[in-house]
Amino acid sequence: DQVMPKWEALLSLEGGTHGVNANLTKDKGEIICEWFNTSLLDEEGRIQGIASLVTDITEKMDSEVLSASLSNTPLALLVWEADHAGIRIRRWNRAAEEMFGWPAEEVIGKSFMDFLAAESDRQGVGETADALISGMFPRNHTNFCNTKSGGLRCIDWFNTPIVDPTERTATVVSLGLDVTESREAAESLRQSRE
């Protein structure tokens, strides 16, 4: 559907065309390509051919979709890494801002151990972070987190380590689900039954 109007524009000498579309590969896969096309003309202005520049943008599109999804998830997102300077937050989404109260610009580059991990849970959070960095990959962890306003939230964390080519954990993506109210409700129910 999109190809014919672009082809007709090229043949009618209306200048170059640009488009993005799905294309089949020889192994019956599908890639997303960005196309730039222009007519090749001789000295009299007759079309001698078409020049096309095509770029496979599948990974870029996938990355943009993933980035948009992570930015808009209702789960708190922390992307963090550990290096010689310690643990540093690289990304902090809108849900994290709403859940904990700190805007991204106040936490990017800081260690979550310094402000987010509740004092009572810092040892366990540190042990989990060390295990993730060393390649032991504890996928889930629950701990209390501080809020900017001075409160505490109970968070179930789901961790995905990203390893570099040397098999060292380079980055960890942590998604946090606030389970404070559900834990309080379960505790109230348990107490009412006693």
Side-chain angles (χ1 to χ4, degrees):
D1 291 350
Q2 299 174 24
V3 174
M4 287 311 293
K6 292 181 189 310
W7 183 253
E8 289 169 3
L10 280 170
L11 293 179
S12 67
L13 304 176
E14 291 179 15
T17 63
H18 171 260
V20 175
N21 57 21
N23 297 267
L24 296 176
T25 62
K26 65 181 178 182
D27 62 354
K28 300 200 179 1
E30 185 176 273
I31 59 174
I32 307 296
C33 293
E34 182 172 32
W35 293 81
F36 297 91
N37 305 296
T38 191
S39 302
L40 300 175
L41 309 175
D42 65 14
E43 299 81 34
E44 283 100 41
R46 293 182 303 235
I47 294 178
Q48 298 300 304
I50 306 268
S52 295
L53 172 66
V54 62
T55 305
D56 179 352
I57 60 169
T58 308
E59 287 185 22
K60 179 182 179 228
M61 296 290 286
D62 289 348
S63 176
E64 288 173 1
V65 167
L66 179 60
S67 180
S69 298
L70 290 175
S71 293
N72 293 306
T73 181
L75 301 175
L77 167 75
L78 278 70
V79 177
W80 55 276
E81 60 189 10
D83 58 24
H84 64 282
I87 294 170
R88 300 285 173 245
I89 296 173
R90 286 187 27 212
R91 186 163 179 184
W92 178 270
N93 72 348
R94 188 176 316 118
E97 289 179 349
E98 292 169 2
M99 195 176 293
F100 303 116
W102 286 280
E105 57 270 7
E106 288 184 24
V107 301
I108 300 298
K110 294 185 178 175
S111 171
F112 55 77
M113 295 296 287
D114 295 340
F115 69 97
L116 189 62
E119 184 66 39
S120 61
D121 287 347
R122 281 202 181 133
Q123 181 177 349
V125 171
E127 290 168 359
T128 299
D130 289 344
L132 284 161
I133 292 163
S134 69
M136 294 170 49
F137 306 153
R139 301 278 187 215
N140 303 74
H141 181 78
T142 301
N143 63 277
F144 283 95
C145 292
N146 297 314
T147 65
K148 187 173 183 177
S149 65
L152 283 176
R153 306 302 297 170
C154 185
I155 308 297
D156 278 346
W157 292 103
F158 305 91
N159 302 301
T160 303
I162 310 297
V163 294
D164 67 16
T166 65
E167 299 298 315
R168 185 183 77 75
T169 299
T171 303
V172 177
V173 178
S174 297
L175 293 169
L177 175 65
D178 187 342
V179 296
T180 307
E181 282 80 19
S182 61
R183 281 197 164 204
E184 289 171 353
E187 179 61 21
S188 292
L189 181 62
R190 186 190 63 77
Q191 288 178 0
S192 70
R193 291 183 176 165
E194 290 180 350

